[in-house]
């Protein structure tokens, strides 16, 4: 199978920034591009050079533009990567808008589909304007996986053949080690009936939803699990501190932890 990835850089950058604010107090995070690109024969990266914002100083604008230009130049030297630049314009009342990027993605995906250069395509994007493109690619017999931010439109999701959420855990897995280190202990998901042992203390449960939360004493981490109806299996999050496990459960799976723990475990909420 020949798999190509078409990547909207603006979408990825915005999602990484969201995760940084949610988990790392806005600290800058860097992508490990080799982790992100694993499994793809070619990666097509699309992004727009930044436009000057209203009241932005020359120094700030130059620094922002140079950072993006440096990234594009770096990616262009990587094996399997192709970098395509659009531009950004500021429109009164609408803010910054990217130009050309969506059109370039659509043209390239259709050309590679028609020429049968690839047998499967992945698109990392969240713009609903890509819905007609995905429908057209499907009509051409191309299998398209959409890698999308949490709030992608229902029409866009329905147009894809497969969907992968750009979850907090996925972003974490794509970061370089120094960036991952900013998070503190981060939970790893797994499926199956993982059992606790004598080194765990029970914290909380919800019998109606089947949620169980344990404190793993040896590693000073949290173990949480609940049934996943889509997989007809039980999902576990293990190895994270309370704060990260609570956020991942909520952000990636829609599971809410208790707002207040039993007195013996309230210190964990400050972790």
């Amino acid at each position: 199978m020949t798999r190509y990835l078409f990547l909207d850089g603006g979408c990825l950058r915005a999602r990484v920034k969201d995760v940084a604010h949610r988990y790392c107090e806005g600290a800058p995070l860097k992508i490990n591009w080799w982790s992100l690109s694993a499994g793809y024969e070619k990666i097509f990266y699309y992004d727009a050079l930044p436009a000057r914002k209203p009241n932005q100083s020359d120094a700030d604008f130059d620094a922002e533009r140079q950072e993006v230009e440096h990234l594009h130049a770096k990616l262009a030297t990587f094996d399997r990567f192709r970098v395509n630049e659009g531009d950004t314009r500021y429109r009164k009342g609408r803010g910054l808008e990217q130009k050309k990027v969506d059109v370039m993605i659509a043209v390239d995906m259709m050309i590679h589909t028609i020429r049968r250069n690839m047998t499967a395509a992945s698109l990392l994007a969240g713009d609903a304007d890509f819905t007609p493109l995905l429908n057209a690619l499907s009509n051409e017999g191309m299998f398209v996986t959409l890698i999308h931010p949490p709030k992608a439109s229902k029409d866009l999701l329905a147009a894809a053949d497969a969907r992968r959420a750009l979850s907090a855990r996925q972003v974490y897995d794509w970061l370089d080690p120094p960036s991952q280190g900013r998070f503190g202990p981060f939970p790893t998901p797994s499926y199956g009936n993982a059992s606790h042992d004598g080194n765990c203390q029970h914290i909380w449960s919800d019998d109606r939803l089947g949620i169980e939360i344990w404190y793993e004493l040896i590693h000073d981490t949290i173990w949480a699990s609940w049934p996943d109806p889509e997989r007809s299996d039980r999902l576990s999050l293990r190895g994270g501190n309370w704060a990260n496990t609570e956020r991942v459960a909520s952000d990636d799976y829609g599971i809410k932890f208790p707002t207040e723990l039993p007195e013996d475990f309230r210190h964990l909420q400050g972790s």
Side-chain angles (χ1 to χ4, degrees):
M1 179 176 287
T2 302
R3 301 174 61 211
Y4 287 3
L5 171 63
F6 301 83
L7 195 161
D8 182 341
C11 177
L12 177 62
R13 183 169 54 252
R15 181 62 180 135
V16 171
K17 187 175 181 179
D18 287 345
V19 170
H21 282 287
R22 176 82 165 129
Y23 291 83
C24 307
E25 299 182 342
L29 303 175
K30 292 186 177 181
I31 294 289
N32 179 338
W33 294 100
W34 299 113
S35 294
L36 183 150
S37 64
Y40 297 102
E41 279 67 34
K42 283 181 178 288
I43 302 90
F44 297 85
Y45 182 90
Y46 304 83
D47 201 1
L49 295 175
R52 186 191 298 272
K53 302 178 184 68
N55 303 319
Q56 187 176 26
S57 69
D58 290 343
D60 288 345
F61 173 64
D62 288 343
E64 182 182 6
R65 192 175 182 92
Q66 287 174 13
E67 181 179 0
V68 174
E69 289 176 338
H70 175 74
L71 173 61
H72 291 184
K74 178 182 177 180
L75 292 178
T77 67
F78 289 171
D79 294 348
R80 301 175 290 123
F81 275 78
R82 300 285 295 180
V83 176
N84 302 275
E85 287 185 352
D87 58 59
T88 307
R89 299 175 187 175
Y90 183 85
R91 295 183 62 182
K92 188 175 181 179
R94 301 184 66 176
L96 295 176
E97 293 184 339
Q98 288 192 353
K99 297 295 182 182
K100 303 178 184 177
V101 168
D102 291 1
V103 174
M104 288 190 292
I105 292 175
V107 169
D108 287 350
M109 291 191 77
M110 186 57 71
I111 287 175
H112 287 294
T113 293
I114 293 172
R115 292 179 178 175
R116 294 295 184 248
N117 293 334
M118 58 188 179
T119 54
S122 293
L123 171 64
L124 192 159
D127 195 329
D129 290 345
F130 285 116
T131 301
L133 170 65
L134 297 192
N135 285 323
L137 294 173
S138 180
N139 290 338
E140 288 291 331
M142 181 54 59
F143 189 93
V144 182
T145 299
L146 177 68
I147 306 171
H148 60 89
K151 296 183 180 180
S153 77
K154 292 182 179 179
D155 289 342
L156 181 63
L157 294 173
D161 297 300
R163 298 140 211 91
R164 271 176 51 202
L166 196 48
S167 63
R169 177 70 209 196
Q170 179 63 86
V171 171
Y172 176 86
D173 287 342
W174 282 348
L175 297 176
D176 65 11
S179 295
Q180 290 179 341
R182 296 180 184 273
F183 286 71
F186 203 75
T188 299
S190 62
Y191 284 92
N193 291 315
S195 60
H196 59 85
D197 55 30
N199 295 314
C200 292
Q201 289 184 345
H202 185 260
I203 295 179
W204 181 82
S205 62
D206 184 322
D207 294 337
R208 183 175 63 88
L209 298 178
I211 304 172
E212 295 282 349
I213 304 178
W214 297 77
Y215 174 54
E216 299 185 307
L217 287 82
I218 293 179
H219 303 292
D220 192 27
T221 57
I222 300 298
W223 170 62
S225 71
W226 56 86
D228 184 343
E230 292 186 6
R231 293 278 295 262
S232 297
D233 204 347
R234 196 164 182 87
L235 171 68
S236 293
L237 294 178
R238 302 188 75 161
N241 59 23
W242 175 267
N244 285 335
T245 305
E246 179 185 31
R247 290 169 186 154
V248 169
S250 175
D251 296 350
D252 293 353
Y253 304 101
I255 297 295
K256 300 298 183 181
F257 283 10
T259 55
E260 187 169 335
L261 294 177
E263 186 173 353
D264 291 345
F265 299 99
R266 287 176 189 169
H267 67 282
L268 297 174
Q269 291 180 296
S271 61

